[in-house]
Amino acid sequence: MLDTAKNLLTPSRRSDVPPFIVMDVMAAAAQREAQGSRVVHMEVGQPAAAAPRTALAAAQAALANGRIRYTETLGIPSLRARIGRHYGERYGLELDPARVAVTTGSSGGFILAFLALFEPGDRVALANPGYPPYRHILSALGCEPVLIDTSAETRWALTPEALLAEHRQKPLAGLVVASPANPTGTMMTAEALGALIAAAEGAGIKMISDEIYHGLDYAFRAETAARLSERALVINSFSKYFCMTGWRIGWMVVPESLVRTIDRLQGNLAISVPTLAQIAAEAAFDGREEMEAVKHGYEENRRILTEGLPKAGLDKFLPVDGAFYLYADVARFADDSLDFAKRMLSEAGVAATPGIDFDPVNGRHFLRFCYAGSAQEMHEAVARIGHWLKP
Ligand SMILES: Cc1ncc(COP(=O)(O)O)c(C=O)c1O
């Protein structure tokens, strides 16, 4: 091919983001199933349950009505008001719905938040291990993700000391935290989150709080950054607690002075968020009882795993505080958790995600199990792993 023609097809350097390794595990699991073997799926971080019946009924009624139009860029006003009310109900916080922006999942929220807050070249701190798209979206936008290692001493969360030490080395523009976190499933106490926000704000570091797993907290109640600071930008989603991953709908709580910025960005990037999903999301708040039952299912799954896995041989894992993840240390069995995950899939029929997706260095010693399936699947996974590890 001529050099000029080749050039036409050269992707930008910034688009060179790594893929999700979990996709490779999924493909291998699907192949095994196609060959007729049973697989217990614990690799993908999504609820097995459907969206609340109230949400499905509202969407069906809207569809039957015919035309689905664009909505206001920041979301249907009644949905923004309902989300505002949610903060009163759940956190006792009076929130002006004018600060709520509806987004295309929390994933859409990250792009808006990073564009609104950061310049190319800005350094943004992230807890390591952590959710990979934070760093990949940041680097695609020309920012520099700065991974700060966490450890058992701090319940695997960023601390003010670690943040400020990094900031002194080279200034940080922002930080992203998640509690409950993915992949660790650990949570920050309200005090720990408050101290981190205070330290960040004192140093001029902009704070983004990913609260997508709120509602799925078992160890203690998750605190929202919105209650701790009006300057923090909060990102949330209907994907996890409300079991609406495929609907692609989430929201942000935006500092007042940034609302218009987010409005202009979203107007240009997306015009508005899918209307049907917004209608369903508003009705999802009426399906709370159903979702609480799903949450109780996760609690039972958590109990089955935390009691069963140690007996099966996997006895080292992080505190299983929230979300639906258990992050297990498998260093005793393998130096490479990708290899361990492949063997566990082919020899025991259990699919989990190797930690290198979430932590390029130490992740090779960890596996993430998602426990959003059924109790029967959890029992089966424990039995299969036990049988496999104990010859
Ligand atoms: C920590 C965290 N944040 C954000 C997301 C993105 O979710 P969504 O775009 O569906 O809201 C996920 C998905 O797994 C996640 O684990």
Side-chain angles (χ1 to χ4, degrees):
M1 205 191 291
L2 287 174
D3 273 359
T4 36
K6 247 195 222 160
N7 250 347
L8 295 174
L9 301 174
T10 308
S12 66
R13 276 197 307 277
R14 63 154 86 186
S15 67
D16 187 19
V17 293
F20 242 161
I21 290 164
V22 64
M23 295 302 174
D24 296 347
V25 180
M26 275 169 74
Q31 201 181 5
R32 207 183 125 89
E33 278 176 323
Q35 289 159 356
S37 300
R38 163 107 179 111
V39 174
V40 183
H41 288 278
M42 301 180 79
E43 74 278 35
V44 186
Q46 73 174 335
R53 278 191 295 272
T54 50
L56 298 176
Q60 270 154 0
L63 262 186
N65 239 337
R67 210 160 162 207
I68 303 285
R69 299 162 178 265
Y70 292 136
T71 71
E72 291 82 348
T73 293
L74 291 179
I76 297 173
S78 57
L79 171 59
R80 294 172 73 199
R82 184 65 193 87
I83 293 170
R85 239 171 67 215
H86 167 70
Y87 280 81
E89 292 163 0
R90 178 158 183 93
Y91 308 102
L93 170 71
E94 206 176 303
L95 181 72
D96 181 356
R99 290 183 53 204
V100 175
V102 178
T103 59
T104 315
S106 67
S107 303
F110 295 127
I111 299 169
L112 293 170
F114 296 164
L115 281 171
L117 295 179
F118 306 130
E119 302 293 348
D122 272 357
R123 284 163 40 87
V124 180
L126 306 170
N128 190 43
Y131 179 61
Y134 300 146
R135 53 179 198 271
H136 300 159
I137 299 171
L138 282 167
S139 54
L141 294 176
C143 300
E144 186 191 335
V146 178
L147 302 189
I148 301 181
D149 285 334
T150 58
S151 67
E153 287 81 68
T154 62
R155 212 181 183 92
W156 303 87
L158 275 185
T159 60
E161 295 73 30
L163 181 79
L164 296 179
E166 182 62 49
H167 187 59
R168 276 192 298 274
Q169 293 220 342
K170 198 170 168 198
L172 292 163
L175 94 149
V176 182
V177 294
S179 167
N182 178 10
T184 58
T186 54
M187 287 173 58
M188 297 176 82
T189 61
E191 294 71 34
L193 184 62
L196 187 64
I197 293 177
E201 292 191 347
I205 301 168
K206 295 167 180 168
M207 161 83 182
I208 298 172
S209 179
D210 178 359
E211 303 186 351
I212 183 168
Y213 292 103
H214 275 216
L216 303 178
D217 38 8
Y218 321 110
F220 46 88
R221 214 173 157 90
E223 176 63 290
T224 176
R227 223 170 67 81
L228 302 170
S229 167
E230 290 189 347
R231 289 168 296 277
L233 194 153
V234 171
I235 293 186
N236 208 322
S237 174
F238 288 89
S239 287
K240 309 293 171 157
Y241 176 80
F242 289 106
C243 303
M244 294 177 71
T245 46
W247 293 80
R248 310 308 305 128
I249 182 143
W251 75 86
M252 302 200 289
V253 178
V254 181
E256 204 181 320
S257 61
L258 287 175
V259 171
R260 183 68 187 132
T261 307
I262 297 290
D263 189 12
R264 282 186 281 118
L265 281 169
Q266 178 142 278
N268 280 281
L269 290 172
I271 303 185
S272 63
V273 169
T275 309
L276 200 57
Q278 293 193 58
I279 292 167
E282 187 176 338
F285 284 106
D286 299 328
R288 266 273 166 59
E289 225 172 279
E290 204 184 331
M291 294 300 103
E292 281 299 299
V294 173
K295 175 182 176 176
H296 291 317
Y298 301 151
E299 281 181 288
E300 174 61 3
N301 293 350
R302 171 180 180 261
R303 187 192 62 73
I304 296 166
L305 293 185
T306 51
E307 287 177 17
L309 283 180
K311 290 181 200 146
L314 282 186
D315 54 359
K316 255 181 108 176
F317 42 81
L318 275 52
V320 194
D321 293 338
F324 33 54
Y325 302 118
L326 181 145
Y327 202 52
D329 183 339
V330 295
R332 191 153 72 81
F333 303 99
D335 192 42
D336 173 4
S337 61
L338 177 58
D339 178 57
F340 186 83
K342 282 183 184 160
R343 283 194 290 121
M344 191 170 78
L345 175 62
S346 68
E347 294 164 21
V350 178
T353 310
I356 39 168
D357 252 345
F358 312 101
D359 174 348
V361 182
N362 299 321
R364 71 177 205 283
H365 289 146
F366 288 88
L367 267 194
R368 187 196 73 176
F369 291 88
C370 170
Y371 57 86
S374 67
Q376 193 248 322
E377 284 170 317
M378 301 304 120
H379 284 300
E380 192 180 343
V382 166
R384 282 168 173 262
I385 292 169
H387 187 70
W388 178 56
L389 288 178
K390 285 180 201 149

